[in-house]
Amino acid sequence: MARIYSIHDFGAPELDIYARLTENQLVNRADPENALFIAESPVVIERALDAGCVPVSFLMEEKHVEGKGRPLLERCGDVPVYTASLETLTQLTGFHLTRGMLCAMRRPRLPDYRDVCAGASRIAVLENVMNPTNIGAIFRSAAALGMDAVLLTAAGSDPLYRRAIRVSMGTVFQVPWAYLPEEGDWVAALGALGFKTAAMALRQDSVRLNDPALNREEKLAIVLGTEGDGLAGSTIAHCDYTVCIPMAHGVDSLNVAAASAVAFYQLGNMNR
């Protein structure tokens, strides 16, 4: 049975997780076994629980204890639940809560990228994508449009940052993901796993996104680059294909999240 605590002291250390710790402090690289993330809204929290994530505490509007939050709390044993009015919670956290509910959870142990790729035929690769909003949007598109997994370089943003989780609508807990090795040629590593790599870039030698050869590939990795600069030249040079989305009206490119949705729709499992 959940333990309910009404909030009266904003300075209580139990609330540091929600109000005062930065994303980097939550990641807690010095003690990864106790690293945390924050899930927001009932739908996102439910998806995290379904994925096996372990709750540490909840922060929610009082009315949700016997309302929207009740089915979630019934799954979580005696986890502490801190409650207050929406106005109080907004003052505490510094922003308006989406559907009035947050849950602090332990970060799951990530799988090896080779395990994530096992059995996959379509994967997305994100090279140094920095914006958490873009990360979340890409994961949502990957889930909706038939991608089997997402791989990321370590220099990019964290899919378990609060904003990335929220924008993804919890699909970061539904699409398998992992980090690529920091050392060595990860394009070659994917090739060793049987994947052909398609670099999304506007180049003179690019093939169009609807080139039939792409969908004929048994295993394909769609490689997307960082905001602004796009993919590194060395990455493009090592990929099997350079692929472009044709543009009109003088537009030079799409935002990486928008480009991912177009590419996943054309090349993902749903369109094969």
Side-chain angles (χ1 to χ4, degrees), residues 52-115:
C53 296
V54 178
V56 172
S57 66
F58 283 86
L59 178 66
M60 66 176 65
E61 286 185 76
E62 294 161 341
K63 66 180 183 180
H64 290 325
V65 172
E66 294 299 329
K68 294 179 181 178
R70 184 167 184 174
L72 299 174
L73 298 182
E74 288 175 346
R75 298 177 59 175
C76 297
D78 64 350
V79 64
V81 180
Y82 304 103
T83 68
S85 67
L86 181 59
E87 294 73 20
T88 300
L89 294 180
T90 301
Q91 183 181 350
L92 172 66
T93 60
F95 63 92
H96 185 83
L97 291 182
T98 301
R99 295 181 175 85
M101 191 182 307
L102 298 174
C103 182
M105 294 182 156
R106 301 225 175 266
R107 293 177 72 96
R109 187 182 298 275
L110 288 179
D112 185 88
Y113 77 98
R114 288 162 292 199
D115 295 329

Side-chain angles (χ1 to χ4, degrees), residues 5-55:
Y5 302 94
S6 182
I7 295 172
H8 300 289
D9 178 11
F10 281 1
E14 296 87 353
L15 304 181
D16 286 348
I17 294 173
Y18 301 103
R20 287 173 284 276
L21 295 186
T22 66
E23 295 279 13
N24 284 336
Q25 288 172 318
L26 290 171
V27 171
N28 196 3
R29 290 181 175 85
D31 185 13
E33 293 299 320
N34 289 309
L36 303 170
F37 68 88
I38 305 296
E40 182 179 344
S41 87
V43 169
V44 172
I45 295 169
E46 182 178 30
R47 287 177 175 169
L49 291 172
D50 289 345
C53 296
V54 178

Side-chain angles (χ1 to χ4, degrees), residues 87-244:
E87 294 73 20
T88 300
L89 294 180
T90 301
Q91 183 181 350
L92 172 66
T93 60
F95 63 92
H96 185 83
L97 291 182
T98 301
R99 295 181 175 85
M101 191 182 307
L102 298 174
C103 182
M105 294 182 156
R106 301 225 175 266
R107 293 177 72 96
R109 187 182 298 275
L110 288 179
D112 185 88
Y113 77 98
R114 288 162 292 199
D115 295 329
V116 166
C117 289
S121 62
R122 291 293 184 269
I123 63 173
V125 178
L126 310 185
E127 181 183 71
N128 302 344
V129 176
M130 302 302 297
N131 189 310
T133 298
N134 285 334
I135 292 286
I138 292 168
F139 266 88
R140 189 169 181 180
S141 293
L145 299 172
M147 303 304 291
D148 296 313
V150 176
L151 302 180
L152 307 97
T153 58
S157 186
D158 187 341
L160 294 186
Y161 278 174
R162 185 184 300 182
R163 184 165 182 81
I165 295 172
R166 182 167 70 246
V167 172
S168 82
M169 285 299 294
T171 54
V172 293
F173 306 113
Q174 296 178 312
V175 179
W177 61 275
Y179 285 107
L180 289 160
E182 294 188 54
E183 302 296 330
D185 182 353
W186 55 259
V187 177
L190 292 179
L193 296 176
F195 283 91
K196 295 294 185 179
T197 46
M200 300 299 299
L202 292 169
R203 293 285 185 102
Q204 290 296 323
D205 60 346
S206 296
V207 300
R208 293 170 72 97
L209 186 64
N210 62 353
D211 190 306
L214 295 168
N215 271 331
R216 285 198 296 265
E217 294 291 357
E218 182 179 347
K219 300 173 78 171
L220 186 68
I222 301 168
V223 186
L224 297 139
T226 186
E227 301 86 350
D229 294 334
L231 289 169
S234 58
T235 299
I236 297 172
H238 285 97
C239 283
D240 299 291
Y241 297 94
T242 305
V243 182
C244 72

